[in-house]
Amino acid sequence: MSAGCAGTIQAPPAPPDPQIQMIALAGRIETLVQEERLKLDPGAKTLVLDPELTKIALTRARDMAEKNYLAHTAPNGDTSASLLMADDATWQGLLGENLAAQHYLKVSGVDVDVFARRFLDEWIKSDPHRENLSYPAYDRTGVGAAVNGDTVYVAELFASDLGLKPKPADETQIPVPLRGSEAGQP
């Protein structure tokens, strides 16, 4: 007589909900871009994660996910630059933007490292995207990632003020030096 093990075959655990992986994905992309940037140009400035740029990048990624598009200009006409200027009217400088989207299978989920590397690989293959991530004067970045359906959308912003002084919030309030009697002088 032979005895066998009568058990049930258990399915592998379901992958994590991609929504909860987007912060980790954005962080991994930021790290990989920084590493690649220094390989492409060892003299490039280190990118500092900027909260304002991160907010705008996340807004852009979420908008693309919600409206199912991939473009530098949103259907309502918004761009990263217009959102940044609406958020900070005194901002001036140079702004670069890399966007990308990838599909995933729900049964496989989103592997943060694999997806981050795929986004980076696509940007490296494209001259304008590679130039953005390697431009040596950029010193700040922000990354946002969002998912809708079976697609992950990513926006990464790069910026530098190029050493420019911030402009006054209201150009009409620029102090004008007074002359002669206007300044209380004879």
Side-chain angles (χ1 to χ4, degrees):
M1 182 168 172
S2 136
C5 180
T8 58
I9 298 174
Q10 293 185 350
D17 178 357
Q19 296 285 352
I20 64 171
Q21 294 178 287
M22 294 300 102
I23 293 172
L25 178 61
R28 186 67 181 135
I29 290 169
E30 187 268 330
T31 298
L32 291 175
V33 164
Q34 181 74 306
E35 290 170 1
E36 187 65 27
R37 173 182 171 81
L38 295 176
K39 286 180 196 171
L40 293 169
D41 184 350
K45 293 180 179 180
T46 299
L47 294 171
V48 175
L49 198 57
D50 181 284
E52 188 174 34
L53 294 177
T54 299
K55 175 184 167 188
I56 301 298
L58 184 56
T59 298
R60 293 284 291 128
R62 286 179 175 164
D63 191 63
M64 289 186 296
E66 289 170 12
K67 296 173 183 158
N68 194 28
Y69 72 93
L70 180 64
H72 292 286
T73 303
N76 68 357
D78 283 343
T79 64
S80 292
S82 68
L83 293 171
L84 186 58
M85 291 302 294
D87 206 41
D88 179 0
T90 65
W91 193 89
Q92 59 183 354
L94 188 60
L95 183 67
E97 176 181 66
N98 284 358
L99 305 175
Q102 286 184 53
H103 292 289
Y104 72 95
L105 300 174
K106 292 186 185 221
V107 297
S108 306
V110 173
D111 181 311
V112 168
D113 190 60
V114 169
F115 270 65
R117 289 182 188 281
R118 282 188 200 153
F119 282 118
L120 177 65
D121 289 345
E122 287 304 310
W123 289 339
I124 294 300
K125 291 178 197 173
S126 159
D127 289 341
H129 292 100
R130 186 177 56 254
E131 288 169 9
N132 273 344
L133 71 88
S134 65
Y135 185 67
Y138 286 141
D139 56 6
R140 292 172 292 153
T141 191
V143 184
V147 65
N148 185 9
D150 67 349
T151 307
V152 176
Y153 297 85
V154 170
E156 180 163 16
L157 302 179
F158 305 91
S160 172
D161 64 11
L162 300 172
L164 300 171
K165 294 180 182 175
K167 65 181 178 181
D170 182 351
E171 297 270 339
T172 61
Q173 295 180 5
I174 297 174
V176 178
L178 301 176
R179 293 175 287 130
S181 62
E182 298 172 39
Q185 297 173 352

